[in-house]
Amino acid sequence: MAEIQAFKAVRPERAKAGLVASRSYEDYSEGELTAQLEYNPYSFLHIINPGYKFQHRIKGEQRFQMVKNRYLEFREENIFIQDEKPCFYIYRIETRENSYCGIIAAASAEDYEKNVIKRHEDTIAHREILFKDYLKVVGFNTEPVLLTYKDNSVINNLMAEVQGDRPEYEFATYNKETHKLWKIENAKVIEQIKAEFGKMDCLYIADGHHRCASSYLLAEESKKNNPEHTGKEPYNFFMSYLISESNLKIYEFSRLITDLNGHSKEEFLILLDEWFRIENRGYDAYTPSKKHHFNMYLDGEFYSLYLRKTNYEFTDSLSKLDPYILYQKILKPVLGIEDLRNDKRISYVHGKNDLIEIKTRIDKGEFAVGFGMLPLGIEEIKQIAEENLTMPPKSTYIEPKLRSGLTIYEF
């Protein structure tokens, strides 16, 4: 059964929340990043980019320690405050297209070990260890792991009741999003929510596999180093954002390849013909409408590719996934791309960006061919997790993407 805990979040005082909150570091252009660091002294980016204070790029353990130093400065200056008693936090994001609402809580590292928290992606060992070492030095979580669960009417009703009150935070951002956060500090409501999650057989990782794995490694290491370990210490948990399945938005990733692996256009199409029924769509931007249908942009023209199901054998849930089919029948055997994470010949464009970007980048000569497909459904993702399988890298782009710095979990 899934275990979650309320916790005493460290967070910005109300007036500064919109100034503190930041997008993911990688999401900023160089110009945006410089402007934020230069003109916004409250931005959480000062904590995760601590070398800016000294105009120096810092790496490794020195950076970890300086992240902690900048964080402590925010605490000392009362930019960050800490709640006096454990709470859950409802975090709502309203974008131009969608609205997302979930609960920020502490999830159990032991549940990850016991497969109560189920995963669908492989993690890379050295990245797990690196982030575990980072967490050990800084002593806090700032980015919740995105966990999803089957829709629950009791939880929905409790959340709706809390949202009838004035939010603790309410601010808008430059990309026309509205962010709201409510504290749940009523002990009865907290216990009701905990009880509902306690009835659930499992939770599923939607986003944050490496963060989850690293938090588990830290819990195991801390347990070994603590002779008085009880299982209730803060290091036994990690910050999570719990959101119902129906409230997630799942996009696909398109694949862009720099060259045809030495094949001419004609040779390439003939090789694809073994596994796909190919139709040249010319200048009509074809978008797949069914599973196992793909779009392709090559040499100024769009193509539809339909899997020849009489040739292809479905053996398990993984074999049915379109990203896996594309990898097994085109990317690996024809284009020679085996390592989807590290091969420099492949790049990815998430499905929020339409075919125009793919066409533009290929027409510019940056890439030779691009492939698109339908996004995966939540049931496909869950089935992969249930069968202890792992999807190819960049199979899903999942929203919401949360702002950093609004709630921090110390351990």
Side-chain angles (χ1 to χ4, degrees):
M1 303 302 170
E3 180 183 3
I4 64 168
Q5 296 286 346
F7 68 100
K8 299 176 184 178
V10 175
R11 55 188 184 81
E13 62 169 333
R14 186 195 296 266
K16 296 184 177 70
L19 294 170
V20 170
S22 73
R23 307 196 305 270
S24 170
Y25 184 80
E26 295 79 12
D27 197 33
Y28 290 88
S29 68
E30 187 174 342
E32 282 183 299
L33 186 61
T34 300
Q36 281 287 319
L37 293 169
E38 184 70 24
Y39 299 111
N40 181 3
Y42 301 114
S43 175
F44 191 74
L45 293 168
H46 285 285
I47 293 176
I48 57 179
N49 187 32
Y52 181 81
K53 182 175 182 178
F54 304 102
Q55 297 299 305
H56 184 67
R57 195 174 186 86
I58 302 168
K59 296 181 180 180
E61 289 215 17
Q62 185 182 44
R63 177 180 173 273
F64 300 168
Q65 186 59 51
M66 290 192 68
V67 166
K68 183 175 183 179
N69 293 347
R70 294 290 85 72
Y71 172 70
L72 292 175
E73 288 173 8
F74 271 51
R75 290 276 265 143
E76 291 159 3
E77 295 169 7
N78 292 321
I79 298 170
F80 283 146
I81 57 174
Q82 185 168 28
D83 286 318
E84 294 181 357
K85 58 183 181 180
C87 302
F88 289 141
Y89 304 86
I90 295 177
Y91 182 18
R92 184 178 188 88
I93 305 171
E94 297 168 359
T95 73
R96 284 173 285 186
E97 300 90 10
N98 299 296
S99 178
Y100 307 99
C101 191
I103 298 173
I104 297 175
S108 166
E110 185 178 1
D111 280 355
Y112 179 78
E113 179 189 23
K114 295 188 300 186
N115 205 32
V116 173
I117 295 176
K118 294 181 178 292
R119 67 215 82 164
H120 61 262
E121 286 184 7
D122 271 333
T123 51
I124 302 171
H126 76 84
R127 287 187 61 192
E128 291 180 17
I129 294 169
L130 179 67
F131 194 58
K132 181 265 295 180
D133 292 341
Y134 169 81
L135 293 174
K136 184 178 178 180
V137 173
V138 301
F140 56 77
N141 285 152
T142 62
E143 294 186 25
V145 174
L146 198 65
L147 300 177
T148 190
Y149 60 91
K150 193 173 182 64
D151 287 58
N152 180 294
S153 60
V154 174
I155 294 173
N156 288 344
N157 291 337
L158 289 169
M159 290 172 65
E161 185 176 337
V162 172
Q163 290 175 79
D165 297 332
R166 180 194 179 193
E168 184 73 12
Y169 301 147
E170 182 174 10
F171 61 90
T173 59
Y174 292 118
N175 57 349
K176 298 184 179 179
E177 292 179 351
T178 301
H179 297 256
K180 300 177 183 179
L181 184 137
W182 291 262
K183 286 185 359 179
I184 303 178
E185 49 189 347
N186 182 295
K188 182 180 178 181
V189 176
I190 288 174
E191 288 305 314
Q192 286 178 293
I193 292 172
K194 286 176 64 175
E196 288 303 312
F197 280 99
K199 298 174 186 177
M200 298 180 188
D201 293 331
C202 61
L203 304 170
Y204 296 89
I205 302 174
D207 191 23
H209 283 76
H210 281 91
R211 277 171 278 150
C212 202
S214 300
S215 296
Y216 166 69
L217 289 180
L218 178 66
E220 289 296 291
E221 183 176 305
S222 301
K223 179 169 64 175
K224 290 176 183 176
N225 293 331
N226 182 5
E228 299 181 0
H229 172 82
T230 65
K232 299 299 182 182
E233 296 85 357
Y235 60 69
N236 292 289
F237 299 87
F238 57 91
M239 190 164 62
S240 61
Y241 183 67
L242 298 140
I243 185 169
S244 64
E245 294 172 6
S246 66
N247 206 202
L248 286 176
K249 180 65 176 177
I250 305 172
Y251 297 93
E252 75 283 7
F253 272 101
S254 296
R255 274 73 169 139
L256 290 166
I257 317 299
T258 58
D259 59 78
L260 299 183
N261 197 29
H263 302 297
S264 68
K265 173 183 172 181
E266 291 73 21
E267 292 168 340
F268 178 65
L269 291 171
I270 289 170
L271 289 169
L272 266 53
D273 188 71
E274 178 182 358
W275 294 102
F276 300 91
R277 183 158 56 90
I278 304 170
E279 183 176 343
N280 187 328
R281 303 279 180 150
Y283 298 117
D284 293 334
Y286 167 74
T287 301
S289 58
K290 296 181 179 179
K291 295 294 183 184
H292 316 320
H293 290 189
F294 303 82
N295 60 26
M296 180 174 73
Y297 186 67
L298 171 68
D299 193 27
E301 296 179 307
F302 290 95
Y303 294 81
S304 58
L305 307 180
Y306 298 163
L307 180 68
R308 296 185 188 277
K309 297 178 183 178
T310 52
N311 290 0
Y312 186 87
E313 182 180 3
F314 297 115
T315 56
D316 56 19
S317 295
L318 181 61
S319 69
K320 298 175 184 177
L321 296 186
D322 286 345
Y324 181 82
I325 293 169
L326 187 66
Y327 173 66
Q328 288 292 333
K329 298 307 175 187
I330 299 179
L331 300 182
K332 182 179 177 180
V334 179
L335 293 173
I337 295 175
E338 301 206 18
D339 187 347
L340 292 172
R341 292 187 187 276
N342 300 308
D343 196 312
K344 302 298 184 186
R345 297 170 55 228
I346 186 169
S347 187
Y348 302 90
V349 177
H350 61 69
K352 285 195 73 176
N353 297 330
D354 57 23
L355 288 174
I356 299 300
E357 180 176 352
I358 297 169
K359 179 181 185 303
T360 299
R361 296 181 72 180
I362 292 175
D363 288 347
K364 283 182 177 179
E366 297 177 29
F367 297 93
V369 63
F371 300 94
M373 66 204 86
L374 285 179
L376 299 181
I378 186 63
E379 292 302 325
E380 292 177 285
I381 295 171
K382 288 168 58 178
Q383 193 60 41
I384 291 293
E386 292 291 346
E387 295 180 21
N388 294 315
L389 300 171
T390 55
M391 301 189 305
K394 299 291 186 182
S395 289
T396 57
Y397 179 86
I398 296 179
E399 289 194 336
K401 301 297 183 188
L402 309 185
R403 295 267 160 162
S404 296
L406 287 180
T407 58
I408 296 171
Y409 176 75
E410 290 188 341
F411 40 80

